[in-house]
Amino acid sequence: MSNKDKRGKVWLAVSGLVKSSEGHWLVVKKRYGGLKGKWSLPAGFVNKGETADEAVIREVKEETGISCTVKGLIGLRTGVISEEISDNLLVFMLEPLDEWAIMHQETELYEARFIAPEILLHEKDASIMLHYLINQDETITIPGYDGLNPGEQFNYSAYKLFF
């Protein structure tokens, strides 16, 4: 069974904008897919049994070796592939806990590094979403709230709000 079949017709992925203390952005160059050979934010799919914010921390760590904390949600990229697959990506703002420990995942990535956004803006191999984010005057970060329980009848093992 291919990954596309395993995910069904509705995909939920996450991506993390990690900014260094100098304001540089953590970007990766993928070895596969539509972004092959292009700079993009670290990203991946949410696994069963995890929240989206847990998934972005895991994905950034797996792809780059950088441990992070979630500062909040900054956006949603949503689209439909081939008039069939709903492709959804939640983009989170992350703060690195260890900026100097980059070790990229060699099977998935050509490279991972912190690059100044003004350099990425002129990089022909940067994704359209990176260019869009860099050109925003201001990025609004919506913080997450934990510890709420909507009721035992729902049987949530994790419940978080980003408003």
Side-chain angles (χ1 to χ4, degrees):
M1 179 185 289
S2 75
N3 280 338
K4 281 188 177 186
D5 293 334
K6 181 173 74 174
R7 287 189 195 92
K9 303 293 184 191
V10 179
W11 295 355
L12 180 59
V14 291
S15 183
L17 173 51
V18 182
K19 291 184 180 181
S20 74
S21 55
E22 298 170 336
H24 295 181
W25 293 17
L26 181 62
V27 290
V28 299
K29 206 175 254 196
K30 297 211 183 292
R31 290 184 179 269
Y32 64 91
L35 291 174
K36 181 178 181 178
K38 290 191 176 291
W39 291 112
S40 61
L41 297 175
F45 289 97
V46 178
N47 290 334
K48 69 179 181 179
E50 69 182 349
T51 61
D53 57 308
E54 291 168 344
V56 75
I57 289 171
R58 175 186 52 77
E59 281 292 343
V60 169
K61 179 74 172 177
E62 285 176 4
E63 288 190 1
T64 69
I66 301 290
S67 297
C68 296
T69 58
V70 172
K71 302 305 286 177
L73 181 68
I74 59 173
L76 165 68
R77 190 266 297 137
T78 185
V80 178
I81 299 170
S82 302
E83 299 181 11
E84 183 179 23
I85 297 169
S86 175
D87 181 23
N88 304 284
L89 177 79
L90 295 168
V91 183
F92 289 90
M93 179 69 73
L94 303 177
E95 185 175 311
L97 299 174
D98 52 358
E99 296 178 19
W100 314 116
I102 294 178
M103 292 175 26
H104 72 276
Q105 191 175 40
E106 304 223 357
T107 56
E108 291 188 15
L109 306 175
Y110 289 117
E111 196 173 351
R113 64 178 158 155
F114 282 100
I115 301 177
E118 55 274 12
I119 292 172
L120 282 170
L121 191 56
H122 300 291
E123 177 63 55
K124 67 175 174 38
D125 289 333
S127 73
I128 191 81
M129 191 172 81
L130 267 181
H131 280 203
Y132 181 83
L133 283 169
I134 293 165
N135 280 315
Q136 296 305 296
D137 289 334
E138 185 180 349
T139 302
I140 296 170
T141 303
I142 303 165
Y145 299 96
D146 203 353
L148 301 171
N149 186 343
E152 296 303 321
Q153 71 274 22
F154 294 108
N155 204 28
Y156 279 103
S157 53
Y159 185 85
K160 298 176 183 178
L161 298 176
F162 288 84
F163 284 105

